[in-house]
Amino acid sequence: ELGTSFYQSCDYFEESILEVNKKALTYAAKISRAPYSLPKGPDITDANLSTNDEFSSLAIVVTASDSSNTANTHPMAGQDVIEISAFVDNHPYDLLEDGTTREGIVVLEKPSDGNSATVTATKIIDISDLAEGKHVIYLIAKDSMNYKGPVTAYSFEKPTIQNEQVSLEVSPATDTSIVDEKEKEDMATISTTINCTEKQ
């Protein structure tokens, strides 16, 4: 439980409790599939998405770090990030019909050099075949000890191309690391707003 009283003030809950705990609760959900191994892998700490004027390609700039969420010099937090993969509209945990793992789009692939605990990579992805509307891109990174970190998701919208200028809408999506398929679909679009009603 969170809070300081049974009937917590809505204003206090939203401003002083939810805000300071939301990141921790979100991370706990992201690693729930494998809570002892996923935290050992690198985290996606930042991602910027943009498209060309024809909305046929998506440029992503991704930063992944093996040490960003470590408060000390634990040895598991110093590995090189050697791989970043992207999946468009397909969660990396979803299996293909033959039971094999889905191959992602390689954003970064490099050998370990002992100096890459945090890396930034850029990739241009062809989205010309995507339907107009909202889409989700899932990002995951791996370190030099082959530990994969939690999945991080971002949503973007491919608008209808008209004569007037249009712009790409991009926003972070709640991560969908949890295995259940319905939960993955719901969490990718869930709002982070919590409605609170005070007890009279």
Side-chain angles (χ1 to χ4, degrees):
E1 294 184 7
L2 298 175
T4 59
S5 65
F6 190 79
Y7 295 116
Q8 193 76 66
S9 161
C10 284
D11 289 340
Y12 184 81
F13 173 78
E14 292 173 353
E15 295 174 6
S16 301
I17 298 176
L18 177 61
E19 283 303 311
V20 298
N21 288 284
K22 186 161 56 177
K23 286 185 177 180
L25 294 173
T26 300
Y27 191 80
K30 291 170 66 173
I31 64 170
S32 60
R33 183 176 188 263
Y36 293 103
S37 63
L38 287 173
K40 296 178 181 179
D43 296 291
I44 303 297
T45 58
D46 188 42
N48 293 300
L49 286 68
S50 60
T51 64
N52 61 354
D53 293 339
E54 293 79 24
F55 297 97
S56 61
S57 64
L58 177 71
I60 61 173
V61 181
V62 186
T63 299
S65 177
D66 205 46
S67 58
S68 62
N69 289 332
T70 304
N72 52 42
T73 57
H74 193 279
M76 292 305 300
Q79 282 74 48
D80 289 337
V81 179
I82 62 170
E83 184 180 297
I84 301 174
S85 299
F87 301 77
V88 179
D89 290 340
N90 290 294
H91 196 282
Y93 296 161
D94 289 340
L95 299 179
L96 299 173
E97 291 183 0
D98 60 3
T100 59
T101 304
R102 190 181 301 276
E103 292 291 332
I105 300 168
V106 177
V107 178
L108 171 74
E109 192 172 42
K110 62 183 291 296
S112 176
D113 59 10
N115 193 35
S116 302
T118 299
V119 298
T120 299
T122 301
K123 181 72 174 182
I124 306 297
I125 298 175
D126 182 8
I127 59 170
S128 58
D129 292 336
L130 289 184
E132 295 167 350
K134 291 185 177 181
H135 300 274
V136 178
I137 184 167
Y138 302 93
L139 301 168
I140 187 169
K142 184 173 72 173
D143 68 20
S144 55
M145 291 188 68
N146 286 325
Y147 281 109
K148 290 185 177 180
V151 177
T152 299
Y154 289 83
S155 64
F156 65 94
E157 184 169 358
K158 184 178 180 180
T160 302
I161 299 177
Q162 299 174 343
N163 291 331
E164 62 270 19
Q165 182 69 28
V166 291
S167 59
L168 177 72
E169 296 184 9
V170 179
S171 60
T174 302
D175 185 82
T176 56
S177 310
I178 301 174
V179 177
D180 183 83
E181 199 149 322
K182 185 176 187 307
E183 287 182 352
K184 289 188 293 188
E185 181 179 346
D186 293 343
M187 288 188 69
T189 57
I190 193 169
S191 168
T192 57
T193 302
I194 295 181
N195 295 322
C196 178
T197 302
E198 301 232 19
K199 180 177 176 63
Q200 300 298 323

